[in-house]
Amino acid sequence: AGMRLVVTDRDPEGQETAEIVHEALIHSWGRLREWLDADHSFRAWQERLRAVLRQWQASGRDEGALLRGAPLAEAESWLMQRGGDIGDAERALIVASVSLRGREASEREDQRQRELAAAQKLVTVERQRGEEHRRTAQQLRRLLLVAMILAVVAGLMAIVASGYNQLAAINAQMADARRAESEAQRAEVRRR
């Protein structure tokens, strides 16, 4: 500035600025060119950030106006590299955005945990139903086996009863035949 290669001033926000007087400096001085390129990227980003900041402030600091995704990652990178060149309001925007990202990540994790717990509960209920179904099927098999055994026993008892019935009928016939024979013998004895 003393040699009039750059002119210093202040912008409307009161920040100090420097303007290059001789264009030849940019083309001939490689290191200055690197600084200017790096500063140009930062300043272009900072202007975009200030536009977002104005929207955020105009919305009453609504979370919907905060940085997300790639713009937030870029802001975090610039904050680490050039934190001293970032104003308090810009920093507040970045911090609020990071905080929102953390809360949203926490809420997503909480939701995932709730869904996992619900799925585990469903699996447990299904296991219990399966176990109940297995026990019921086992009881039905036992009842069927008992019914089959009772049916076989009842069939055998019917066969035995039928056999006894036939035996009783044969015995009755034999008794009738003996009685008839006995009466015939008595009648013959009488006739004689």
Side-chain angles (χ1 to χ4, degrees):
M3 300 172 87
R4 298 190 181 209
L5 297 174
V6 294
V7 176
T8 59
D9 197 2
R10 294 203 176 272
D11 66 9
E13 295 176 4
Q15 289 190 346
E16 191 173 334
T17 63
E19 191 175 327
I20 298 173
V21 176
H22 296 286
E23 193 71 24
L25 284 174
I26 296 172
H27 299 294
S28 300
W29 192 5
R31 185 152 176 92
L32 177 60
R33 181 157 186 91
E34 289 174 18
W35 289 343
L36 290 173
D37 288 344
D39 195 54
H40 176 72
S41 297
F42 173 73
R43 294 297 174 201
W45 167 80
Q46 196 172 37
E47 283 306 312
R48 290 191 308 272
L49 181 68
R50 286 177 180 160
V52 172
L53 175 62
R54 285 189 294 275
Q55 287 177 330
W56 183 52
Q57 289 171 335
S59 71
R61 295 184 173 227
D62 181 62
E63 289 182 343
L66 290 173
L67 298 169
R68 288 179 171 77
L72 178 55
E74 183 180 21
E76 287 178 296
S77 175
W78 281 121
L79 184 61
M80 288 174 57
Q81 293 174 33
R82 307 264 312 251
D85 295 327
I86 296 174
D88 292 340
E90 295 162 340
R91 187 181 307 275
L93 171 65
I94 296 168
V95 168
S97 298
V98 169
S99 176
L100 175 63
R101 181 183 60 197
R103 282 194 319 274
E104 287 176 342
S106 178
E107 289 169 4
R108 281 191 304 274
E109 179 60 22
D110 290 347
Q111 178 64 29
R112 190 185 73 73
Q113 290 296 330
R114 284 191 298 273
E115 289 170 358
L116 182 61
Q120 287 173 338
K121 186 176 180 180
L122 184 61
V123 167
T124 301
V125 167
E126 288 303 315
R127 263 195 211 129
Q128 289 171 344
R129 285 182 184 166
E131 185 61 28
E132 287 173 17
H133 178 72
R134 188 189 62 73
R135 281 195 303 268
T136 302
Q138 202 173 37
Q139 288 173 344
L140 286 174
R141 282 192 297 274
R142 286 182 189 144
L143 287 174
L144 182 59
L145 180 63
V146 168
M148 288 171 52
I149 291 171
L150 288 176
V152 167
V153 168
L156 288 174
M157 288 176 69
I159 291 171
V160 169
S162 174
Y164 277 127
N165 207 6
Q166 286 178 353
L167 186 60
I170 291 171
N171 284 340
Q173 285 175 352
M174 286 176 58
D176 284 344
R178 274 190 241 133
R179 208 174 317 136
E181 190 181 316
S182 176
E183 283 178 13
Q185 281 178 357
R186 267 190 251 152
E188 190 142 330
V189 170
R190 276 190 219 155
R191 265 192 247 153
R192 288 195 201 159

